[in-house]
Amino acid sequence: MKLETTEELEKELLTIEKWEKDQKGLWFWERIGRLPFKLLDKLTPSFIQNKLGIMLDEIGSYIQNGGKYLTKETDIIGKLQAKSPELNIKDLNDVSSLPLDVMDSVSHDIKSSGSKLATVQGATTGIGGIFTLAIDIPLLLGMSIKILQDIAITYGFDPRIRQERIFIVKCLQFTTSDVVGKRAILEELSKMDLPESESNRKMASELQGWREVVYTYRDQFGWKKLLQIVPIAGMIFGAITNRSMIADMADTGIMLYRKRRILDRIQEPTIKN
């Protein structure tokens, strides 16, 4: 298979940079959508608060060692192999050399299947209102982490490496952040692949506030998730909200990992010379 030319890669990079600029805006409805959960905090049953505490511990564990969230590399390689039957794809080194259109195709398949699963999950957990909402939030977080890991592998990056897990949590944080947060995270991520160890240490230290991921993740549901509190009617709102959430998360992973792969390829000729 033929790889992209430098000109083609630079054109793709411009498309991603335009997407990044578009992400730095926050719709008025999204702003007010964060309010209900702040008010709801006082009414939130203790069992939901306890569940959030468990989620905090699990994200901390994921950053350190991957925990129970680590995905199977072989599953994604199998999907890439199916798209490229003429090649022999054995590991991530082989994956990193695949054409972008193959990577993109598998990534969008991951997004599509994840969105469908999230729709079913949201409808199922929406039946019981606030009581099943306690189940829905951590399930959706776990699904987001898995999808982002699958996308990482699709573009040839290894989530078993701690630095990649930090990147994945940053993707989570980016999707649920406001305008100021998105700008700061994009700046952090742009420095991630620099060789300077100081940049890596800075990014790791900034994750001391990773607890924000869980709370902004929950707050991001806003009025949409608030509607899921109503039993039965929550099925509809839960399905729509979960599908949208996973689709946004997948788009973030695809764009940011795609950008890293493109930048690596643009720099390759310079490195070889």
Side-chain angles (χ1 to χ4, degrees), residues 51-252:
K51 182 65 70 173
L52 289 172
I54 294 172
M55 288 167 63
L56 292 173
D57 293 339
E58 287 182 353
I59 287 187
S61 174
Y62 171 71
I63 292 172
Q64 295 303 323
N65 54 44
K68 66 182 182 182
Y69 292 110
L70 279 179
T71 193
K72 290 184 179 179
E73 178 183 313
T74 53
D75 292 346
I76 306 304
I77 289 179
K79 293 178 181 179
L80 290 163
Q81 182 69 75
K83 300 277 186 180
S84 314
E86 71 279 16
L87 300 177
N88 183 20
I89 307 172
K90 296 179 291 185
D91 52 34
L92 286 175
N93 286 330
D94 295 330
V95 171
S96 64
S97 300
L98 291 173
L100 278 176
D101 60 354
V102 174
M103 297 175 170
D104 294 342
S105 178
V106 173
S107 292
H108 285 288
D109 286 347
I110 291 170
K111 172 187 172 181
S112 178
S113 60
S115 296
K116 290 176 182 176
L117 180 59
T119 302
V120 175
Q121 176 186 301
T124 303
T125 54
I127 295 175
I130 193 170
F131 298 101
T132 47
L133 183 61
I135 301 172
D136 186 44
I137 294 176
L139 281 177
L140 198 56
L141 179 63
M143 187 184 299
S144 298
I145 291 175
K146 183 183 185 305
I147 286 174
L148 287 172
Q149 287 184 112
D150 289 349
I151 291 171
I153 293 171
T154 301
Y155 287 96
F157 296 94
D158 190 353
R160 291 173 298 184
I161 299 173
R162 183 174 182 271
Q163 194 71 2
E164 289 302 331
R165 295 197 296 273
I166 291 176
F167 187 89
I168 284 170
V169 173
K170 281 294 180 182
C171 286
L172 280 172
Q173 200 170 4
F174 177 86
T175 308
T176 58
S177 291
D178 57 17
V179 179
V180 176
K182 287 181 188 295
R183 288 173 183 163
I185 292 168
L186 283 176
E187 184 178 347
E188 293 168 21
L189 295 181
S190 68
K191 300 175 182 177
M192 181 173 176
D193 290 322
L194 295 178
E196 292 85 354
S197 59
E198 182 177 345
S199 296
N200 291 335
R201 285 199 303 270
K202 181 181 178 183
M203 185 161 170
S205 67
E206 284 168 343
L207 264 178
Q208 295 295 329
W210 52 261
R211 287 174 171 79
E212 294 175 21
V213 175
V214 171
Y215 291 111
T216 57
Y217 195 89
R218 180 200 59 177
D219 289 346
Q220 200 269 352
F221 292 146
W223 61 270
K224 292 173 290 187
K225 218 52 176 167
L226 190 65
L227 295 172
Q228 190 177 335
I229 291 175
V230 182
I232 307 303
M235 290 176 62
I236 298 173
F237 299 114
I240 294 173
T241 302
N242 283 20
R243 184 182 182 87
S244 173
M245 188 76 173
I246 288 298
D248 290 346
M249 200 69 65
D251 282 338
T252 295

Side-chain angles (χ1 to χ4, degrees), residues 28-53:
F28 172 74
W29 287 109
E30 288 298 325
R31 287 180 183 275
I32 67 169
R34 296 171 188 271
L35 297 177
F37 256 119
K38 296 181 185 300
L39 300 175
L40 189 64
D41 262 340
K42 297 179 180 179
L43 305 175
T44 302
S46 60
F47 67 87
I48 292 184
Q49 298 288 3
N50 292 337
K51 182 65 70 173
L52 289 172

